Amino acid sequence: MLKKLLKYDLKWCYRPLIIFYILSLFFSIVIRIVEQFNTSFIFLILDKICSAIFIILLVSIFINNVIRIWGRCINNIYKDESYLTHTLPVEKKTIFLSKVLTTIITMFTSFLVIIISLAIACLTKETGIFLKNSLESMAVLLEISVWKLLTIMIITVFLEVLFMVLSGILGIVIGYKSNNLKIIKSLISGFLLYIIPSVIIIIVMYIVGLFNKDIMQLFNSVNNLNSIAIKSVFIGGCLMYVIYNIIYYIAGKKVLEKGVNVD
């Protein structure tokens, strides 16, 4: 039954996203072509217009992805669709798991499309050399390869975005346990669930820094950071977000299993 739930959840989320994916890839190619003729005033104006549209599309991919996930949770679990959802021979934890898997899959594809689109539109010889030199400098500082550095950076950002979306999902599950002001309580819950753990990460790092001068450099200086301090940000961030995501998944599942107040 999980496969069927996941199929319909993905279909619902991807319906508008596919359009944004295609448009962003299309305009990235157009920008790359137009920039070959930017010596012309007309092509320069066209480049600026396409670039503006391109940026809007990339932002829209992310925003639409998040909104569709949260909207799917509300419509499918608490609104009109919920009357059918809760009559299916499926456990609530399976319904919640489908929503979490949908989040991971759609956010991954959105990340992939955004990265590919940016590479097509912006990765010229000059920018390529600049990025290569910057990444190599940081990789040398951290004493790791460039590919490992890129992987760690992408994973860290992805886990943080996933944490933000899961905060919203858990906020919805908590907010809709109420009998009134469900949307407002969901927004407040989701905001607090995102902000408080983020603040805790900073506080924990500061406390550790009181006993470790390398970590304290993160708070005292922008320059001359050593490899230990930077590694602590990436590795510590990854570990904390993994833990938070697991906790939020378990918490959301438990709250949903206690019952649902259908509108």
Side-chain angles (χ1 to χ4, degrees), residues 20-36 47 49-55 57-58 61 112-124:
F20 284 105
Y21 289 169
I22 294 171
L23 287 174
S24 65
L25 291 169
F26 170 76
F27 274 95
S28 68
I29 295 171
V30 170
I31 290 171
R32 194 58 179 264
I33 294 172
V34 168
E35 285 184 346
Q36 305 302 316
D47 179 38
I49 294 173
C50 290
S51 296
I53 295 173
F54 178 65
I55 293 171
L57 285 170
L58 294 186
I61 286 175
L112 192 61
V113 170
I114 289 172
I115 291 172
I116 292 173
S117 298
L118 285 172
I120 294 173
C122 307
L123 195 58
T124 61

Side-chain angles (χ1 to χ4, degrees), residues 89-133:
V90 57
E91 295 178 301
K92 288 181 175 61
K93 65 180 182 180
T94 305
I95 296 172
F96 189 76
L97 176 59
S98 177
K99 302 298 179 287
V100 173
L101 291 176
T102 299
T103 299
I104 295 172
I105 294 170
T106 56
M107 292 306 301
F108 176 78
T109 55
S110 292
F111 258 68
L112 192 61
V113 170
I114 289 172
I115 291 172
I116 292 173
S117 298
L118 285 172
I120 294 173
C122 307
L123 195 58
T124 61
K125 183 178 179 180
E126 291 75 18
T127 56
I129 293 173
F130 174 76
L131 286 174
K132 182 175 179 292
N133 292 335

Side-chain angles (χ1 to χ4, degrees), residues 16-203:
L17 281 176
I18 291 296
I19 297 174
F20 284 105
Y21 289 169
I22 294 171
L23 287 174
S24 65
L25 291 169
F26 170 76
F27 274 95
S28 68
I29 295 171
V30 170
I31 290 171
R32 194 58 179 264
I33 294 172
V34 168
E35 285 184 346
Q36 305 302 316
F37 306 95
N38 59 7
T39 52
S40 166
F41 178 76
I42 298 297
F43 278 102
L44 181 61
I45 296 298
L46 184 60
D47 179 38
K48 299 300 181 182
I49 294 173
C50 290
S51 296
I53 295 173
F54 178 65
I55 293 171
I56 292 171
L57 285 170
L58 294 186
V59 174
S60 297
I61 286 175
F62 176 76
I63 294 175
N64 274 273
N65 199 158
V66 174
I67 290 176
R68 292 294 286 187
I69 290 168
W70 290 343
R72 181 61 174 172
C73 290
I74 295 173
N75 292 332
N76 194 240
I77 300 177
Y78 301 102
K79 296 295 184 179
D80 292 340
E81 288 185 22
S82 64
Y83 292 98
L84 173 61
T85 301
H86 298 302
T87 57
L88 297 173
V90 57
E91 295 178 301
K92 288 181 175 61
K93 65 180 182 180
T94 305
I95 296 172
F96 189 76
L97 176 59
S98 177
K99 302 298 179 287
V100 173
L101 291 176
T102 299
T103 299
I104 295 172
I105 294 170
T106 56
M107 292 306 301
F108 176 78
T109 55
S110 292
F111 258 68
L112 192 61
V113 170
I114 289 172
I115 291 172
I116 292 173
S117 298
L118 285 172
I120 294 173
C122 307
L123 195 58
T124 61
K125 183 178 179 180
E126 291 75 18
T127 56
I129 293 173
F130 174 76
L131 286 174
K132 182 175 179 292
N133 292 335
S134 300
L135 290 171
E136 284 180 346
S137 298
M138 186 175 290
V140 169
L141 176 62
L142 296 177
E143 299 176 350
I144 59 176
S145 67
V146 172
W147 287 110
K148 284 185 179 180
L149 174 62
L150 272 173
T151 302
I152 293 172
M153 291 174 66
I154 292 172
I155 290 175
T156 302
V157 174
F158 181 78
L159 288 173
E160 184 174 1
V161 172
L162 182 61
F163 169 65
M164 183 196 73
V165 181
L166 289 180
S167 298
I169 293 175
L170 181 56
I172 290 169
V173 173
I174 293 173
Y176 272 81
K177 292 290 289 183
S178 304
N179 293 321
N180 50 48
L181 301 175
K182 296 180 179 181
I183 292 292
I184 294 176
K185 290 179 179 179
S186 296
L187 290 171
I188 294 173
S189 298
F191 178 76
L192 292 177
L193 285 166
Y194 177 72
I195 292 297
I196 293 175
S198 300
V199 173
I200 289 174
I201 291 178
I202 297 174
I203 293 174

